[in-house]
Amino acid sequence: MIERLDEEQWERLARIRLDALRTDPDAFGSSIAREEGFGERQWRMRLRSSAWFVARDDAGDDVGLVCAIQEPGADDAERHVVSLWVRPQARRGGVAQRLLDAAAGLALQEGAERLTLWQIAGNDAAARACLGAGFAPTGATMPLPRDPARTEQRWSRPLGAAR
């Protein structure tokens, strides 16, 4: 099950986001050291300023997370995915695709025509998840901000048409 978090669920967001940063620290632009210092105000602000979705398994445990944002300076027809993560034990079961579909559904409701994301080059599992969710590489790349020796690739998914 995928659900969108509201501001009152800030502790849930904090818990799963910090789990993600502890489990896969190299997958994100942020760090556990930075976000462990966030208080209630910062977590609530995140939930007010962007859409966060959580995936639950059949036992009711949170197993995945994604955030959809309007990037500063981006075209109004575009929404952007950040913070996509799935717990290791839930990977390869379609959770990432369902989370990305939730982000795409919201983007489409908001009138967006495409959904984009940056994916760290060499992460084959993430690339498979992106392809499975209808994304394709755009050819654009940039150095990873926290490690310029590594590269990120931009991916895009058109919205409104059948995948």
Side-chain angles (χ1 to χ4, degrees), residues 85-105:
W85 179 73
V86 176
R87 288 190 191 284
Q89 67 270 21
R91 292 177 184 163
R92 302 185 68 86
V95 174
Q97 285 87 357
R98 289 192 300 276
L99 286 164
L100 290 167
D101 284 347

Side-chain angles (χ1 to χ4, degrees), residues 21-41:
L21 289 165
R22 280 187 205 99
T23 303
D24 292 298
D26 291 336
F28 302 99
S30 190
S31 70
I32 187 69
R34 176 178 179 261
E35 294 193 24
E36 276 181 327
F38 287 179
E40 178 179 348
R41 193 174 106 238

Side-chain angles (χ1 to χ4, degrees), residues 9 16-17 30 38 55 72 85 92 99 104 109 112 122 124 139 148 151:
Q9 295 170 299
I16 192 168
R17 174 67 177 166
S30 190
F38 287 179
W85 179 73
R92 302 185 68 86
L99 286 164
Q109 284 177 350
D124 294 339
T151 303

